[in-house]
């Protein structure tokens, strides 16, 4: 029983990190119908900057996280401005933006692998605090796990507040619903999109640093798998839906961990995707998604 | 501005056949004489194999509009199946043909079975579902040693006899292109394009949309499987990463860069892109080899932003279009 | 339409440029007095420290020989396989067909070396690895020898067995758990060897879990292992993976002795986490034997740090290759192969080496201990 409990904790650790990344995916998709493949790599950059923050630059780690978030917000907006906006203004097919997104993703990965940037090697990370363990109902739980869950919940609540209670949030919802109508209402659509990218990227950066707390290693390609899984989680929950993204991520995290623990480690990656396919077949718009008219 | 010679259908076919055979003879001669080195011969082989797979994806996505992010899974299925057969039953002409056929058919069959449930998903979701399928395929291949130790599992499969000569690859590539072209121009193909253009309208016109979507998907996957089967017999080492998303993306990139709805585009880009990548590897000085990935990504981004419709979006080489004896000006090919 | 033709022309030009422009030094024709050898290793990527050390050993050996072997001048081609078998395969093909190498020193990790050995053997080019320990490098899956492939290190079957012996006899432990990467022939071979030896020696394997190469989250399997309560945890993977798993183990508060293999041998290992762990190694720089100390001195002078096993092993491999070329007196790879196979008691850092019928040397296994101050400590030497 205590093993099950501990595995559930493991699943939450993973799931909450995925949730933070998934939020960025879902927000961007909700607003411009683009799967921003580069998001996983923004996560990676955030992780590196955060780690540099509390190692090289000697910042206290909460400050390091904020610095990483700010830096990645800028990165996200830059990417949007340079790579996606031109295509949007040209009225290009969505597939072009998608391929470009993948191109940006690859660019970030390879560029950061260059020796004068981050270098291609694994780096071991010295955590800025001691890992502490407690026993809860016979299961082991660490301060890192609590930190992750805590920070993610705070950020999700902050996001919800932003979206529901502020003008910016209202504008974002408007653009997500109907960009043309929003434009007619006087909303600067381009700027709203930029904000969305900024916020999503900042969340990814936070996710990156938290991820490193849990799994203390850095490498330029570290964002691929978490990005992919988080993105799948967002789809699972219904892409465009914020609670959906969180729900989907928690399910993905648990599925992965529980499969590894109780079925076999061999198939743990496949199970998560199999669940996705099954859910999509039954609920084509995802668990909490709103099914729009079939794209013809 | 069109050159005025109007050829009859038979004449066209003979001309094309002659040109293709001529090209083969020339290339073969260049290879045997060593003017094209062993290394570049291999690159040529691989580029033609990529072409076959790209043609398959072109059918699926370029022409039928099915957004598949899992094409590499079928490539891998074809590769492993074909490799398994020749490795187990020995490497003769008979087993080789059987292996290629088996690889293509199995890939097509699995494509059909997967397609049954998922092809009704909306475009982006279909992409994700196929992506998921690709990952599942990779995981299965990772554990393939549980199915049979010959398959090697996550460590990869070695020891497949190297039976695919240039002749085989070249002519199968030609066959694939001809097959694709004829399919597109047939009533089946036109139905598929109608489905892509406007599924609701096609439905109303009495086209069995599901059937055609499945048909072209299975065919495209089968071509992917054929390409994979050839690959297994050229390259000494197969690994589950063949089913990886990155590989699927390679194919997708080629089809999109070449221009959706353009067979010529896919073929030209498949060959050109493969050579470009190898050329980059050669041309970069030793210390800058790690820039290869960066350049690849930058070229991609720039190309997409500069020309989002792809290089040859919607246009087709004259040879591949129907003869003008159909009366109407035959150049109005279904555009992207 | 014109655009299409222009495109085709451009494509044709690329093809022509690629094929026509012969790179310098290719064509495989030596001027009769130069032999090209290739080096393949992970100079970047996950296990970069191995590759860098390996290359240093390679370079030092060549330098000390004055870049000559008998009457031949030695030139080399250096390539980075990034720790990936596909890359290694491509590079081996390139080196053989494009650069015209007659022998390859490399690679470093077993999975890449396995692939490279296939190519080398197929093309009849000598390949000697200093460090790949998987059994199926010099022999194929059916146990048949690949005549052109050699190595200067012990096998995983040996290493794993010795690790088990050490755990049972020296440490006096009775229960063990194993965690390994199922995609890596290195870890798979070690896990198997350890398991059979441990059980044969009266021990019990209480848990055995595998993970994937790119996995970062080990919490699930570590929790699983914890419930089985092992005294020893065998982690036969590379230093980067092991550090990550070690982190998970410490986070769960598992009270186990960590045991590993030569993959731990790197200054990039997380010494804090792995403190108190033991691993089977190829050599120790503190061993007082003359051959070892001479090498350590020379290496220290040139590179400013102490050589690890990888440097030492590849140093030995390169020297043996040079000797074989000297003895063969020709650039014919088959003659070089023969000379290499027939070397007897070659004075190497790792001992006086000869190759057995399978291209493997007979050697002792050293046990080293990890200290949190960042050093390795020589514990004992075991003859398998």
């Amino acid at each position: 029983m205590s093993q099950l409990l501990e595995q559930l904790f493991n699943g939450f650790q993973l799931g909450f990190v995925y949730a933070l990344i998934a939020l960025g995916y879902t927000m961007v998709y909700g607003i411009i119908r683009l799967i921003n493949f580069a998001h996983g790599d923004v996560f990676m950059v955030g992780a590196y900057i955060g780690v540099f923050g509390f190692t090289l630059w000697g910042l206290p780690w909460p400050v390091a996280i904020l610095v990483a978030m700010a830096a990645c917000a800028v990165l996200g907006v830059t990417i949007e401005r340079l790579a996606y906006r031109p295509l949007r203004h040209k009225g290009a097919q969505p597939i072009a933006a998608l391929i470009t997104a993948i191109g940006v993703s690859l660019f970030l990965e390879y560029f950061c692998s260059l020796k004068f940037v981050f270098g291609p090697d694994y780096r071991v990370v010295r955590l800025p605090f001691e890992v502490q363990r407690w026993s809860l109902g016979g299961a082991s739980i660490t301060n890192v796990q609590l930190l992750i869950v805590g920070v993610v919940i705070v950020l999700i609540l902050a996001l919800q507040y932003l979206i529901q209670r502020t003008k910016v949030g209202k504008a974002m919802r408007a653009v997500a619903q109907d960009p043309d109508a929003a434009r007619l209402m006087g909303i600067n659509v381009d700027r709203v999109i930029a904000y969305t990218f900024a916020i999503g990227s900042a969340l990814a950066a936070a996710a990156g640093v938290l991820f490193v707390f849990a799994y203390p290693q850095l490498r330029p390609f570290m964002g691929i798998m978490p990005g992919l899984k988080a993105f799948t989680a967002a789809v699972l929950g219904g892409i465009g839906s914020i609670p959906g993204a969180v729900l989907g991520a928690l399910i993905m995290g648990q599925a992965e961990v529980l499969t590894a623990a109780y079925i076999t480690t061999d198939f743990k990656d496949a199970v998560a995707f199999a669940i996705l396919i099954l859910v999509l077949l039954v609920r084509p718009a995802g668990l909490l998604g709103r099914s729009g008219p079939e794209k013809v | 501005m069109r050159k005025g010679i109007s050829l009859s259908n038979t004449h066209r076919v003979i001309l094309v056949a002659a040109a293709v055979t001529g090209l083969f003879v020339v290339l073969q001669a260049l290879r045997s004489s060593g003017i094209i080195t062993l290394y570049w011969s291999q690159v040529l082989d691989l580029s033609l194999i990529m072409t076959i797979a790209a043609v398959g994806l072109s059918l699926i996505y370029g022409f039928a509009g099915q957004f598949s992010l899992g094409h590499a899974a079928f490539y891998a299925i074809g590769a492993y199946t074909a490799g398994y057969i020749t490795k187990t039953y020995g490497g003769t002409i008979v087993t080789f043909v059987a292996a290629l056929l088996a690889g293509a058919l199995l890939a097509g069959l699995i494509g059909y079975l997967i397609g049954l449930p998922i092809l009704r998903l909306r475009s982006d979701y279909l992409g994700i579902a196929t992506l998921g399928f690709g990952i599942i395929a990779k995981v299965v291949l990772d554990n393939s040693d549980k199915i049979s130790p010959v398959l090697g599992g996550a460590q990869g499969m070695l020891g497949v006899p190297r039976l695919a000569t240039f002749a085989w690859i070249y002519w199968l590539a030609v066959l694939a292109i001809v097959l694709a072209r004829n399919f597109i121009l047939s009533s089946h193909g036109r139905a598929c394009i109608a489905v892509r253009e406007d599924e609701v309208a096609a439905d109303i016109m009495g086209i069995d949309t599901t059937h055609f979507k499945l048909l072209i998907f299975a065919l495209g996957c089968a071509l992917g499987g054929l390409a994979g089967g050839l690959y297994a017999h050229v390259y000494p080492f197969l690994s589950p990463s063949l089913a990886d998303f990155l590989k699927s993306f390679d194919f997708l990139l080629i089809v999109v860069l070449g221009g959706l709805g353009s067979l010529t585009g896919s073929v030209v880009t498949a060959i050109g892109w493969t050579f470009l990548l190898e050329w980059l590897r050669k041309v970069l000085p030793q210390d800058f080899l790690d820039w290869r990935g960066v350049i690849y990504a930058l070229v991609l981004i720039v190309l997409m932003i500069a020309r989002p419709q792809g290089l040859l979006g919607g246009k087709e080489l004259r040879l591949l279009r129907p003869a003008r004896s159909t009366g109407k000006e035959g150049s109005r090919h279904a555009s992207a | 339409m014109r655009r299409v033709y222009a495109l085709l022309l451009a494509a044709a030009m690329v093809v022509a440029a690629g094929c026509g422009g012969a790179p310098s030094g290719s064509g495989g024709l030596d001027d009769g007095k130069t032999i090209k050898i290739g080096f393949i290793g992970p100079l970047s990527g996950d296990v970069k420290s191995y590759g860098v050390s390996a290359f240093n050993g390679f370079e030092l050996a060549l330098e000390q020989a004055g870049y000559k072997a008998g009457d031949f001048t030695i030139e080399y081609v250096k390539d980075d396989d990034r720790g990936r078998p596909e890359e290694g395969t491509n590079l081996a093909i390139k080196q053989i067909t494009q650069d015209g190498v007659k022998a390859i020193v490399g690679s470093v990790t077993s999975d890449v070396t396995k692939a490279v050995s296939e190519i080398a053997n197929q093309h009849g080019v000598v390949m000697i690895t200093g460090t790949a320990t998987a059994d199926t490098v010099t022999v194929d899956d059916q146990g048949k020898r690949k005549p052109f492939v050699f190595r200067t290190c012990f096998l995983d079957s040996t290493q794993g067995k010795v690790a088990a012996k050490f755990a049972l006899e020296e440490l006096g432990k009775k229960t063990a758990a194993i965690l390994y990467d199922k995609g890596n022939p290195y870890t798979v071979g070690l896990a198997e060897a350890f398991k059979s030896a441990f059980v044969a020696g009266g021990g019990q394997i209480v848990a055995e879990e595998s993970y994937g190469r790119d996995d970062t989250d080990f919490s699930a399997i570590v929790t699983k292992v914890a419930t089985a309560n092992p005294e020893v945890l065998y982690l036969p993977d590379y230093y980067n993976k092991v550090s990550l798993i070690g982190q998970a183990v410490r986070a769960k508060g598992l009270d186990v002795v960590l045991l590993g293999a030569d993959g731990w041998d790197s200054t990039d290992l997380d010494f804090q986490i792995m403190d108190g762990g033991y691993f089977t190694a190829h050599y120790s720089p503190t061993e007082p034997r003359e051959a070892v100390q001479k090498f350590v001195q020379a290496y220290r002078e040139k590179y400013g740090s102490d050589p690890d096993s990888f440097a030492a092993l590849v140093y030995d491999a390169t020297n043996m290759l040079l000797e074989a070329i000297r003895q063969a007196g020709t650039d014919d790879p088959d003659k070089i192969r023969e000379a290499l196979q027939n070397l007897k008691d070659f004075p190497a850092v790792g001992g006086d080496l000869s190759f057995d019928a399978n291209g493997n040397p007979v050697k002792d296994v050293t046990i080293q201990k990890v200290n949190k101050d960042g050093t390795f400590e020589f514990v004992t030497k075991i003859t398998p």
Side-chain angles (χ1 to χ4, degrees):
Chain A
M1 193 54 216
S2 60
Q3 208 215 126
L4 177 60
L5 194 59
E6 194 170 309
Q7 296 291 18
L8 286 176
F9 290 155
N10 292 335
F12 279 128
Q13 174 182 277
L14 203 53
F16 272 101
V17 175
Y18 286 163
L20 215 50
I21 311 174
L23 284 173
Y25 275 116
T26 218
M27 281 168 58
V28 166
Y29 188 87
I31 214 168
I32 54 172
R33 299 282 177 281
L34 169 72
I35 303 172
N36 181 15
F37 273 103
H39 196 59
D41 302 288
V42 172
F43 158 89
M44 175 268 293
V45 172
Y48 269 93
I49 295 182
V51 171
F52 287 160
F54 63 73
T55 51
L56 287 181
W57 305 327
L59 301 169
W61 60 262
V63 177
I65 294 184
L66 289 172
V67 168
M69 286 171 80
C72 285
V74 172
L75 177 64
V77 170
T78 313
I79 293 175
E80 194 275 320
R81 178 72 63 85
L82 291 179
Y84 306 147
R85 191 178 292 192
L87 287 171
R88 213 171 51 241
H89 287 182
K90 271 193 191 182
Q93 295 254 21
I95 184 69
L98 192 77
I99 303 262
T100 310
I102 301 181
V104 173
S105 166
L106 289 171
F107 173 75
L108 285 173
E109 285 158 19
Y110 283 111
F111 185 73
C112 293
S113 301
L114 293 176
K115 292 186 198 84
F116 69 86
V117 186
F118 297 148
D121 321 318
Y122 261 89
R123 289 165 190 250
V124 174
V125 175
R126 281 276 99 242
L127 292 181
F129 49 75
E130 279 290 315
V131 175
Q132 277 157 354
R133 242 181 61 254
W134 304 286
S135 193
L136 189 65
S140 165
I141 190 168
T142 64
N143 56 346
V144 172
Q145 285 171 329
L146 290 176
L147 178 69
I148 290 176
V149 174
V151 171
V152 174
I153 290 182
V154 165
L155 287 173
I156 292 177
L157 290 175
L159 186 67
Q160 273 297 82
Y161 180 81
L162 182 83
I163 304 261
Q164 300 294 344
R165 300 294 178 90
T166 66
K167 232 169 150 198
V168 175
K170 199 182 264 188
M172 285 164 70
R173 277 182 287 139
V175 173
Q177 197 161 37
D178 191 333
D180 293 321
R183 198 174 283 123
L184 288 173
M185 298 298 276
I187 295 178
N188 183 338
V189 172
D190 278 343
R191 196 182 304 165
V192 169
I193 293 176
Y195 278 144
T196 314
F197 268 85
I199 297 171
S201 305
L203 292 177
V209 184
L210 291 175
F211 187 84
V212 169
F213 285 161
Y215 315 110
Q217 270 194 353
L218 288 176
R219 51 191 272 267
F221 293 89
M222 65 189 274
I224 299 181
M225 263 329 239
L228 205 57
K229 290 185 180 155
F231 162 62
T232 310
V235 174
L236 179 66
I239 194 139
S241 154
I242 288 177
V246 178
L247 177 63
L250 291 176
I251 295 177
M252 288 284 286
Q254 288 297 352
E256 206 181 307
V257 165
L258 292 175
T259 308
Y262 292 108
I263 308 179
T264 164
T265 42
D266 294 339
F267 289 103
K268 72 171 174 23
D269 284 339
V271 161
F273 291 102
I275 292 180
L276 171 75
I277 295 182
L278 287 172
V279 167
L280 282 182
L281 292 180
V282 173
R283 279 190 66 87
L287 289 171
L288 299 180
R290 288 160 248 111
S291 40
E294 255 259 1
K295 230 208 260 188
V296 165
Chain B
M1 273 146 329
R2 292 187 202 111
K3 299 224 180 118
I5 309 172
S6 175
L7 300 165
S8 79
N9 235 350
T10 337
H11 283 168
R12 285 180 84 86
V13 170
I14 297 177
L15 198 66
V16 170
V20 166
T21 316
L23 182 61
F24 174 70
V25 169
V26 167
L27 285 173
Q28 187 72 298
L30 288 174
R31 290 169 68 109
S32 332
S33 67
I35 296 179
I36 299 182
T37 63
L38 196 59
Y39 183 66
W40 287 102
S41 301
Q42 181 131 39
V43 177
L44 183 62
D45 289 344
L46 283 175
S47 72
L48 288 174
I49 291 175
M50 287 296 272
T51 308
I52 299 177
V55 164
L57 188 59
S58 189
L59 283 176
I60 294 176
Y61 185 51
F63 288 95
Q66 312 285 349
F67 185 38
S68 169
L69 276 176
H71 201 57
F74 301 100
Y75 185 73
I77 290 173
Y80 268 81
T81 311
Y84 176 77
I85 292 180
T86 46
K87 203 174 158 189
T88 326
Y89 298 110
T92 63
I93 293 282
V94 175
T95 55
F96 183 48
V97 172
L100 290 179
L101 262 170
L105 286 175
L106 187 62
L109 179 67
I110 294 181
Y112 185 84
L113 292 173
I114 296 287
L116 275 173
I118 70 173
L119 282 180
R120 55 188 159 98
L121 290 172
R122 233 177 65 191
S123 165
D124 284 345
Y125 288 106
L126 176 61
I128 295 151
T130 46
L131 178 65
F133 173 67
I135 298 195
I136 294 174
K138 176 169 183 296
V139 171
V140 169
L141 287 176
D142 266 336
N143 293 292
S144 58
D145 50 344
K146 300 199 178 72
I147 306 175
S148 156
V150 171
L151 293 170
Q155 299 175 38
M157 175 152 79
L158 294 163
V160 177
R162 309 182 64 204
L163 296 169
T165 60
F166 176 63
W168 275 105
I169 298 174
Y170 183 85
W171 290 108
L172 280 173
V174 170
L175 180 69
I177 297 174
V178 168
L179 201 77
R181 176 204 174 260
N182 287 339
F183 183 82
I184 294 167
L185 296 176
S186 71
S187 61
H188 298 292
R190 276 193 259 265
C192 291
I193 294 171
V195 169
R196 185 196 72 189
E197 292 290 314
D198 192 329
E199 191 162 338
V200 174
D203 210 2
I204 295 174
M205 293 296 282
I207 295 176
D208 183 352
T209 54
T210 320
H211 168 71
F212 283 107
K213 276 159 61 164
L214 272 176
L215 183 65
I216 208 171
F217 190 71
L219 182 61
C221 293
L223 281 174
L226 177 65
L230 278 173
Y231 177 83
H233 294 91
V234 170
Y235 213 63
F237 176 71
L238 293 180
S239 101
S241 64
L242 271 182
D244 214 10
F245 164 68
L246 279 181
K247 195 99 197 117
S248 287
F249 178 63
D250 266 347
F251 297 132
L252 184 67
L253 180 148
I254 287 174
V255 171
V256 174
L257 268 186
L260 298 177
S262 168
L263 210 51
T264 325
S266 302
V267 172
V268 166
T269 315
I271 299 177
W273 191 251
T274 312
F275 271 92
L276 181 70
L277 288 182
E278 283 310 316
W279 180 75
L280 268 180
R281 192 209 288 263
K282 208 196 80 171
V283 119
L284 289 171
Q286 196 103 41
D287 291 327
F288 284 91
L289 273 184
D290 33 0
W291 280 85
R292 206 168 136 229
V294 180
I295 295 178
Y296 167 89
L298 275 176
V299 167
L300 179 61
I301 297 174
V302 167
L303 276 177
M304 282 317 297
I305 296 182
R307 209 180 148 78
Q309 68 272 44
L311 291 169
L312 294 174
K315 301 210 184 67
E316 202 72 83
L317 191 59
R318 282 265 210 88
L319 287 173
L320 293 171
R321 297 198 211 127
R324 241 163 300 128
S325 54
T326 52
K328 294 197 68 181
E329 35 110 60
S331 71
R332 185 72 189 98
H333 196 84
S335 56
Chain C
M1 210 46 210
R2 230 174 289 158
R3 211 179 295 154
V4 176
Y5 287 137
L7 211 74
L8 288 176
L9 193 61
M13 285 200 305
V14 173
V15 173
C19 304
S24 57
S26 88
L29 297 167
D30 313 293
D31 56 359
K33 283 289 146 195
T34 309
I35 295 188
K36 266 216 187 109
I37 54 181
F39 173 84
I40 300 181
L43 299 167
S44 68
D46 299 348
V47 289
K48 168 180 155 169
S49 91
Y50 299 162
V52 171
S53 295
F55 182 72
N56 288 348
F58 175 77
E59 203 183 20
L60 184 62
L62 283 179
E63 222 179 69
Q64 288 185 342
Y67 289 90
K68 290 194 81 70
D71 289 330
F72 292 101
T73 310
I74 305 289
E75 273 178 26
Y76 69 86
V77 178
K78 169 185 174 191
D79 277 313
D80 174 12
D81 63 37
R82 299 194 283 145
R84 298 275 158 177
E86 300 85 46
E87 196 71 18
T89 315
N90 285 333
L91 291 170
I93 295 176
K94 172 188 93 80
Q95 285 190 350
I96 295 173
T97 60
Q98 188 83 327
D99 302 315
V101 304
K102 300 294 178 202
I104 296 180
V105 175
S107 174
V108 170
T109 53
S110 295
D111 50 356
V112 180
T113 313
K114 224 175 137 175
V116 171
S117 69
E118 286 289 316
I119 308 282
N121 202 50
Q122 266 172 26
H123 289 265
V125 164
V126 172
M127 192 209 90
I128 181 164
T129 170
T131 54
T133 47
D135 290 28
T136 47
V137 165
T138 52
V139 299
D140 66 17
D141 293 320
Q142 270 76 48
K144 205 172 91 171
R145 173 74 197 282
K146 299 178 207 164
F148 283 86
V149 182
F150 299 84
R151 71 174 116 211
T152 53
C153 52
F154 49 59
L155 303 175
D156 286 336
S157 47
T158 312
Q159 251 200 105
K161 210 163 65 176
V162 167
K165 202 165 161 196
F166 178 73
L168 286 167
E169 291 167 22
E170 305 289 325
L171 297 179
K173 305 290 181 191
K174 290 269 163 279
T175 58
I178 310 177
L179 289 178
Y180 65 99
D181 174 357
K182 64 177 174 306
N184 194 337
Y186 170 73
T187 59
V188 170
L190 281 169
E192 267 170 29
F194 179 84
K195 183 173 169 187
S196 38
F198 197 73
V199 167
Q204 201 199 354
I205 304 287
V206 295
E208 195 182 333
E209 294 294 330
S210 66
Y211 49 86
R213 184 184 203 124
D214 293 321
D215 284 358
T216 44
D217 176 52
F218 297 97
S219 56
I221 50 178
V222 169
T223 302
K224 231 169 145 180
V225 163
T227 46
N229 241 322
E231 293 169 292
V232 169
L233 182 56
Y234 191 49
L235 297 177
D237 207 329
Y238 306 137
Y239 61 90
N240 55 327
K241 254 298 162 341
V242 151
S243 301
L244 207 48
I245 302 177
Q247 171 80 15
V249 169
R250 294 297 177 224
K252 294 280 173 209
L254 260 187
D255 184 20
V256 272
V257 174
L258 298 176
L259 185 59
D262 64 330
W264 289 26
D265 195 342
S266 163
T267 44
D268 288 339
L269 184 74
D270 191 338
F271 287 85
Q272 282 249 6
I273 295 281
M274 305 305 289
D275 179 44
Y278 299 90
F279 64 97
T280 47
H282 299 277
Y283 101 122
S284 177
T286 50
E287 195 186 335
R289 204 155 45 87
E290 197 201 331
V292 176
Q293 288 312 311
K294 257 178 69 182
F295 166 67
V296 172
Q297 277 293 65
Y299 190 95
R300 221 182 257 150
E301 264 173 40
K302 184 165 159 73
Y303 299 106
S305 61
D306 274 359
D308 57 19
S309 317
F310 296 89
L313 290 167
V314 178
Y315 177 80
D316 284 344
T318 315
N319 279 325
M320 290 178 90
L321 178 64
L322 291 175
E323 178 63 21
I325 295 176
R326 231 173 261 133
Q327 285 189 12
T330 158
D331 65 357
D332 177 358
D334 199 39
K335 292 282 182 308
I336 300 177
R337 176 200 66 77
E338 212 183 309
L340 200 50
Q341 181 74 56
N342 292 329
L343 282 181
K344 284 265 165 288
D345 294 325
F346 180 84
V349 173
D352 292 337
L353 302 182
S354 321
F355 293 114
D356 65 12
N358 281 338
N360 305 318
V362 182
K363 292 172 90 169
D364 287 339
V365 179
T366 309
I367 306 280
Q368 298 228 73
K369 182 162 176 231
V370 181
N371 291 325
K372 65 167 171 278
D373 63 359
T375 59
F376 292 131
E377 189 188 309
F378 174 79
V379 174
T380 176
K381 219 167 170 181
I382 301 182
T383 310

